[in-house]
Structure formats: structure tokens, C-alpha cells
Amino acid sequence: ATPPPPKPAVHSRAIDPDVVAPPELPAGQLERVEPREPLSKLALAMPPKPKMPDDWNGTKLFQPVATAAGLIEAKGYSVAISGIDVVGQEETCTTDGKSWPCGIRARTAFRAFLRGRAVVCTVPPEGGRDRISAECRIGKQDVGQWLVDNGWARAAKAGPYVEAGEKAQSAKKGIFGSAPNLAGIAAVPPAPAPALQAPGSILEEVDGALKPTDQPAPAE
């Protein structure tokens, strides 16, 4: 009888239930290649950016409240105008040896400028509790530019309003000027005296018995 054809060699390895090891592979047949690019940005380990409309230029904040010159709270946002150093309401300025509350004066001027108008700021559509530094405008007026031009805020270093801040300081505007003159403002009138109150009862207890009390004479 003719001999059977030779069987192909079978590459196998010994199996040991106590040992876990990869099979032996010839090293000459392996080639290291660069990983491929991700199919989409969803595979990257980073938070997705909020999707903005193509014509998005900011978020409208209605009825803004100025807590300080350069700080706005509205619609769940707390916004600090970018490019400036906010003047706190507790800050005081000294001019010609006289100290005056320039922080409160700056906040009052900022509130008069806002007048409850809607402010458009470059903040994300979703509100948050954290304070956000953002550019804001009313119509075409840059809010930060107005604050620095009128001296109610200091321009941040290396910011866009440095030149305007130098001009306001040279012109002694806002907080760089003198204390406001309060000579023409009338003094606060004194509180009116409390009116006389009628007695609560016309009877009083004397020796265990109720007797009429002395009533004041009627006014003419």
C-alpha cells in the first residue's frame, strides 16, 4: 500500500492550568505601526464644547444687577467684566489727604449706566454658580471700555484698555478724581418724635378693685 501523505506540522504549546502565558510567536514576522487617527472627536478624552449657533454673539442677560463696578448678576450668572480690575464697593480712595468711599460711588455710577437694560455677554447659554469673566456690551457699547474711560474701573495689565486707563487717570476721572462735593445736598431731616399713645385701659386696679384712671384733658 502507498504510504499516507505527511501531515503538516502543528505549532502548539504545552497547556498548564497554573500558568497563564501568551503563545510563542516568531519575532521576525511582527512589525510595529503607528495607531490610526480616531474616527470622531467623541473618542477623545475631553469634555465636549457647547454647541453654539452660527450667528451666536453672546447671551442676553435681562435686568442685570450691579453688585460692584464691573460685577453683574442676572439670569443665574455672576459675571466679572473682563479686561478690568473691579473696584469693590468697600474700597476707599484718598485724594488731597481726604478719604472718600469711591467703591460705592463707582457702583452707583455703574448702576446708572445699566438702568436695567439687557446686557449681552459672551457666556455659555447654560447658567452656572461660578463667577465668569466675560466681555459684555449694551447695544454697541463695550461695558469694560465705558468703565475704564470714565474712571470707574482700573484697566488690567496687558489688557485691551490700558491706554484708556492711562487717559482716565491723567484726566482724574472717576476714582482718580477728587471726592464728590456734597455741600449742595440737603441734610437728612431728623426723625419725627413718637406720637403720644392713649392708655390701653380706662380702669386700673387699686386695692383689689377697678377704679377709673386719670384721663388727660381733651385738646382744644
Side-chain angles (χ1 to χ4, degrees):
T2 58
K7 295 181 179 181
V10 179
H11 300 282
S12 61
R13 62 183 177 89
I15 298 178
D16 190 346
D18 297 333
V19 177
V20 179
E24 297 180 0
L25 296 177
Q29 300 178 3
L30 299 179
E31 181 182 0
R32 184 178 297 276
V33 296
E34 296 295 332
R36 63 171 176 80
E37 296 292 332
L39 299 178
S40 67
K41 292 183 178 180
L42 296 177
L44 301 177
M46 61 177 60
K49 295 182 179 180
K51 185 178 181 181
M52 305 296 182
D54 296 335
D55 57 347
W56 183 81
N57 292 321
T59 302
K60 283 189 176 181
L61 306 180
F62 298 98
Q63 298 180 351
V65 177
T67 57
L71 293 181
I72 298 175
E73 290 185 359
K75 201 178 175 181
Y77 292 89
S78 179
V79 182
I81 306 300
S82 61
I84 68 171
D85 290 337
V86 177
V87 179
Q89 62 176 348
E90 71 281 353
E91 185 172 342
T92 58
C93 300
T94 303
T95 306
D96 299 331
K98 185 178 180 180
S99 179
W100 58 287
C102 58
I104 296 179
R105 181 67 183 87
R107 184 189 62 179
T108 303
F110 188 41
R111 287 180 174 178
F113 169 73
L114 294 177
R115 297 197 306 274
R117 296 179 292 176
V119 181
V120 180
C121 300
T122 55
V123 295
E126 299 83 7
R129 297 182 179 180
D130 297 334
R131 180 171 294 173
I132 305 172
S133 178
E135 298 178 0
C136 298
R137 68 182 187 277
I138 296 179
K140 296 182 179 180
Q141 175 68 60
D142 187 347
V143 177
Q145 186 75 43
W146 182 88
L147 286 168
V148 176
D149 286 342
N150 292 275
W152 298 123
R154 301 178 182 88
K157 296 181 179 179
Y161 312 123
V162 174
E163 184 177 355
E166 294 175 353
K167 291 181 180 180
Q169 189 170 1
S170 301
K172 295 183 179 181
K173 293 183 178 181
I175 62 175
F176 306 108
S178 57
N181 186 9
L182 305 178
I185 301 178
V188 179
L196 296 177
Q197 297 181 356
S201 175
I202 61 175
L203 300 177
E204 64 178 354
E205 185 177 356
V206 178
D207 297 333
L210 294 177
K211 295 182 179 181
T213 58
D214 296 333
Q215 298 296 322
E220 297 180 355

